[in-house]
Amino acid sequence: MRQMVLSILVENSAGVLSRVAGLFSRRGYNIDSLTVGVTNDPKFSRMTVVASGSEDVLDQIKKQLAKLVDVKEIVELPSGASVLRELVLVQVEATVEQRQAVIAIADIYRAKIVDVSDHSIMLELTGNQDKLRAFLELMEGFKITELARTGVTGLARGTANLK
C-alpha cells in the first residue's frame, strides 16, 4: 500500500469539491487528506488530495479524476521532488511548572506560541507530516485539550508546475 499526493487544478466554481469527493465516495476510495484554495488566477483552485491504496487503485483514482470536466490538470507530487506542508494547532493544558517544558519542545520544533492562558498554551506548527508526528508524540506527555490539522498542501519543486 502506497500513499499518493495529487495536486489538482480545477475550475473555481460551485460544486467542484462535491464532484471530486463524490468520485472517491462512489468508488469506495478513502481520502486521507484534502485541502482546497484559490490560486493566483481566481478562475482556478488547487486541490491537494492525499490517498492510499495499491498501485492499481491509485492509478484508477488518477484516471477517474482526469475524466471530470472541472479538472484541468493533475500532477502527482513525489516526496523528494515536492514541497509538502501541513499546519497543526494544538492546545495543551499546562500549569506554571509545566509551561517551560512545553516552551522548550516548541523551540526545538520552531513552533509558535499563539495563545497563553492561566492553564493552557496553544502552539502553531508548520512542516511535513514526519515533523508534525514527532512533535505530537512529544506533546503526548502533556494533556492535549484540542487539536486541529489542515491537511497536506504542496507544490512541485523547481520549474515544474500546473498551468
Side-chain angles (χ1 to χ4, degrees):
M1 190 175 226
R2 177 174 83 83
Q3 192 175 62
M4 169 180 69
V5 180
L6 294 175
S7 184
I8 308 166
L9 192 66
V10 297
E11 288 183 13
N12 188 13
S13 61
V16 174
L17 176 59
S18 177
R19 286 187 283 283
V20 170
L23 180 145
F24 279 80
S25 175
R26 283 189 306 277
R27 288 170 175 71
Y29 304 142
N30 188 42
I31 297 173
D32 298 335
S33 172
L34 172 67
T35 59
V36 184
V38 70
T39 65
N40 56 325
D41 182 346
K43 294 185 290 188
F44 299 103
S45 290
R46 180 182 317 280
M47 293 182 152
T48 306
V49 179
V50 180
S52 299
S54 67
E55 286 300 323
D56 289 340
V57 166
L58 298 178
D59 188 49
Q60 195 62 28
I61 288 171
K62 286 192 275 189
K63 287 177 181 176
Q64 295 297 323
L65 285 168
K67 290 180 182 180
L68 295 176
V69 174
D70 301 309
V71 173
K72 298 303 166 200
E73 190 169 2
I74 303 169
V75 173
E76 185 171 351
L77 299 176
S79 60
S82 308
V83 177
L84 303 173
R85 295 291 183 264
E86 185 175 1
L87 170 77
V88 65
L89 290 174
V90 60
Q91 188 165 16
V92 180
E93 203 172 90
T95 63
V96 174
E97 297 82 23
Q98 294 173 316
R99 201 167 282 161
Q100 196 55 44
V102 172
I103 292 169
I105 294 169
D107 287 344
I108 291 167
Y109 283 88
R110 296 187 182 124
K112 295 179 189 172
I113 298 170
V114 293
D115 186 55
V116 178
S117 72
D118 292 340
H119 304 289
S120 68
I121 296 178
M122 186 181 301
L123 304 165
E124 171 188 314
L125 179 64
T126 304
N128 63 38
Q129 288 184 312
D130 292 336
K131 178 181 179 179
L132 298 184
R133 190 176 305 114
F135 173 75
L136 291 173
E137 284 174 6
L138 286 177
M139 287 290 109
E140 286 176 359
F142 305 93
K143 183 176 181 190
I144 296 174
T145 55
E146 287 194 87
L147 176 77
R149 294 178 80 152
T150 60
V152 175
T153 192
L155 293 172
R157 290 186 184 275
T159 58
N161 61 10
L162 295 176
K163 294 176 181 160

